[in-house]
Amino acid sequence: MNNHVFTHLDALESESIHIMREVAAECKNPALLFSGGKDSIVMLRLAEKAFRPCKFPFPLVHIDTEHNFPEVIATRDKLASDLGERLIVRSLEASINRGSIVIKNPDLPRNPYQSVTLLETIEEFGFDACMGGARRDEEKARAKERIFSFRDEFGQWDPKNQRPELWDIYNTRVHPGENIRVFPISNWTELDIWQYIGRENLEIPCIYYAHEREVIRRGNSVIPVSDLVQPKPGEKVEVLSVRFRTVGDVTCTAPVESTAGTVEEIIAETATTRITERGATRMDDQTSDASMELRKKEGYF
């Protein structure tokens, strides 16, 4: 006799699996964006539950800034290899070499330029739908977006012209050159993600857990010292116990001070925080209230 009680995680999982299957059924050539971060790892598990024992009906795709944490890239490659799924990696460095991206200051974060390489990749493979791990609770602009988010022939998003999704009915119609961005975990929260990681015993990059790291204090953020980030005159290098709530471009992703070294400790810490995930740790999102929305209008995920 099955005594399993249907929980809110089961409801979220069921919704996400339904969305993924809808993409596979309605779209001709979809892709799953997979970076090796915690949200995309949850997406990977959901795809397993949606389509195993068959192969995924889409490849995994990563737009690599070349400014990633090595622990995340190692996890990306290992999980894709363990599952035996196709992983397509396209690099901003290649776009820079082609001249389609021009970065005047090499010290600036590369996140804002990802949209160029993403749109080039969509055109290269003819993807009509790209699934990603964005969530509504991360950032104000992402809270505006539908689960099936239409992009025009220029890859741009118009927040004032979105398709209705009444009763979870999704419109997947696109014309040649257009595509849809799909967010299967849009209704999840950061706390839901960590509870699911714990329930499913998912392997994630070690830097999500508390560890000692050399950092510098810059503005209101604690910045990890690396080959790409060195202390400026007057900045002092400290060794602190930190963990990352989100991972991205090394030059603009800040950890938080923490001693939470287990999933249970992170769940307890997450349940009491009042600061949003990206608001606390992504310096490129803090430069302007509209920065993310402007980047999304230009094609950013």
Side-chain angles (χ1 to χ4, degrees):
M1 181 177 179
N2 187 355
N3 294 320
H4 177 73
V5 177
F6 193 75
T7 67
H8 81 287
L9 285 182
D10 294 321
L12 290 169
E13 178 187 74
S14 179
E15 177 189 54
S16 299
I17 288 172
H18 166 69
I19 292 167
M20 285 188 171
R21 288 173 174 169
E22 189 79 0
V23 171
E26 297 292 334
C27 300
K28 294 180 180 179
N29 188 23
L32 175 64
L33 298 187
F34 178 65
S35 66
K38 70 180 190 311
D39 298 308
S40 64
I41 289 172
V42 166
M43 292 271 289
L44 204 64
R45 172 53 57 89
L46 293 167
E48 285 186 79
K49 293 196 174 187
F51 302 108
R52 283 294 194 242
C54 299
K55 297 280 271 187
F56 295 169
F58 41 71
L60 310 178
V61 175
H62 184 216
I63 306 303
D64 190 349
T65 64
E66 305 284 353
H67 280 187
N68 296 291
F69 291 93
E71 297 92 341
V72 178
I73 297 301
T75 302
R76 178 201 71 183
D77 293 343
K78 180 180 184 301
L79 292 177
S81 176
D82 288 348
L83 287 174
E85 294 293 343
R86 181 187 179 197
L87 173 64
I88 298 169
V89 179
R90 289 296 180 267
S91 168
L92 265 69
E93 201 68 44
S95 297
I96 292 170
N97 293 336
R98 283 192 296 269
S100 53
I101 292 178
V102 178
I103 301 179
K104 296 181 180 179
N105 185 348
D107 294 329
L108 290 175
R110 290 188 172 186
N111 279 347
Y113 302 95
Q114 281 181 288
S115 56
V116 175
T117 306
L118 174 59
L119 293 176
E120 290 175 344
T121 305
I122 289 172
E123 182 178 7
E124 177 185 355
F125 293 94
F127 294 131
D128 59 349
C130 291
M131 292 179 284
R135 308 186 323 268
R136 287 192 176 117
D137 75 322
E138 288 182 277
E139 201 274 338
K140 293 178 181 178
R142 286 180 166 169
K144 294 182 180 181
E145 203 156 19
R146 301 286 194 267
I147 290 176
F148 279 66
S149 181
F150 172 77
R151 297 298 201 276
D152 65 19
E153 64 271 25
F154 302 105
Q156 297 182 331
W157 170 63
D158 181 359
K160 296 180 179 179
N161 185 28
Q162 299 191 77
R163 296 171 176 176
E165 293 181 342
L166 302 175
W167 304 291
D168 295 335
I169 297 175
Y170 306 114
N171 184 345
T172 62
R173 184 185 70 254
V174 293
H175 296 107
E178 300 171 344
N179 65 87
I180 296 174
R181 312 290 173 84
V182 185
F183 307 105
I185 61 171
S186 186
N187 290 328
W188 296 51
T189 67
E190 183 184 8
L191 183 59
D192 295 328
I193 292 293
W194 277 108
Q195 289 174 333
Y196 194 76
I197 288 170
R199 190 183 85 172
E200 299 293 313
N201 194 28
L202 299 181
E203 178 183 354
I204 61 173
C206 59
I207 60 175
Y208 280 110
Y209 300 105
H211 59 286
E212 289 194 342
R213 181 180 287 265
E214 287 190 342
V215 299
I216 53 178
R217 299 185 186 272
R218 187 169 293 171
N220 295 323
S221 299
V222 176
I223 309 300
V225 176
S226 67
D227 292 340
L228 296 169
V229 179
Q230 291 293 310
K232 298 177 180 179
E235 292 181 333
K236 178 183 176 182
V237 176
E238 303 177 58
V239 177
L240 298 178
S241 177
V242 299
R243 68 177 181 88
F244 289 87
R245 291 174 66 184
T246 181
V247 293
D249 188 318
V250 172
T251 65
C252 64
T253 303
V256 295
E257 294 186 54
S258 173
T259 58
T262 66
V263 172
E264 292 75 20
E265 290 172 344
I266 292 174
I267 289 172
E269 194 171 87
T270 303
T272 59
T273 186
R274 294 179 177 272
I275 303 174
T276 62
E277 181 178 344
R278 293 184 71 96
T281 62
R282 297 294 280 269
M283 296 173 65
D284 54 333
D285 289 347
Q286 299 170 19
T287 56
S288 166
D289 291 340
S291 60
M292 173 64 81
E293 184 164 332
L294 290 173
R295 282 153 53 190
K296 289 176 75 65
K297 287 179 179 179
E298 295 170 354
Y300 188 74
F301 208 83

